[in-house]
Amino acid sequence: MSTITEAPALTHDLQVRTDAAGKPLAIRHGGQIWLVDPDTDSQHWFGRDAWWNTRRTAAVGSGDLVSIEYWQVQVRLGSDSALRTFTLRRNPLSAQWLLESISD
């Protein structure tokens, strides 16, 4: 099986439903609802924003301005459809999720 990665250029037309701990359960993208497969392991990590390139400044006490949250989840449209891998990204202090990549 070959892996094909699509780079959707950080798609903004995305809604993510999460559980109480913040783990994605379902993703609405492209007019379809993709369900996170509960039998697969989701990966969760944090990266760092290149704040030195953006030259952003913030007042003391503004919160964490450099931690980018990532989730890599296995999703499917229905019980019969093939699994796809979505990599989600959320920028510091943002409530909006972005779709960083999709792969088969």
Side-chain angles (χ1 to χ4, degrees):
M1 180 175 157
S2 63
T3 300
I4 300 170
T5 301
E6 300 173 28
L10 296 177
T11 302
H12 294 276
D13 64 337
L14 186 73
Q15 294 175 327
V16 179
R17 190 179 77 211
T18 62
D19 65 12
K23 180 181 176 182
L25 299 172
I27 300 158
R28 181 185 299 268
H29 170 64
Q32 298 177 308
I33 297 176
W34 297 82
L35 300 176
V36 175
D37 189 312
D39 297 328
T40 61
D41 290 327
S42 297
Q43 303 297 311
H44 184 224
W45 71 95
F46 288 88
R48 295 288 184 199
D49 188 22
W51 58 268
W52 54 90
N53 289 334
T54 61
R55 308 258 188 239
R56 275 194 304 235
T57 59
V60 174
S62 295
D64 183 353
L65 300 176
V66 297
S67 294
I68 300 170
E69 183 176 11
Y70 291 92
W71 278 95
Q72 189 172 67
V73 295
Q74 302 290 310
V75 298
R76 61 176 79 227
L77 287 172
S79 59
D80 296 343
S81 71
L83 282 173
R84 299 192 82 187
T85 301
F86 281 15
T87 302
L88 307 173
R89 169 185 175 160
R90 185 163 49 183
N91 292 328
L93 303 179
S94 176
Q96 176 66 46
W97 286 97
L98 304 172
L99 183 57
E100 187 160 277
S101 68
I102 301 170
S103 57
D104 291 331

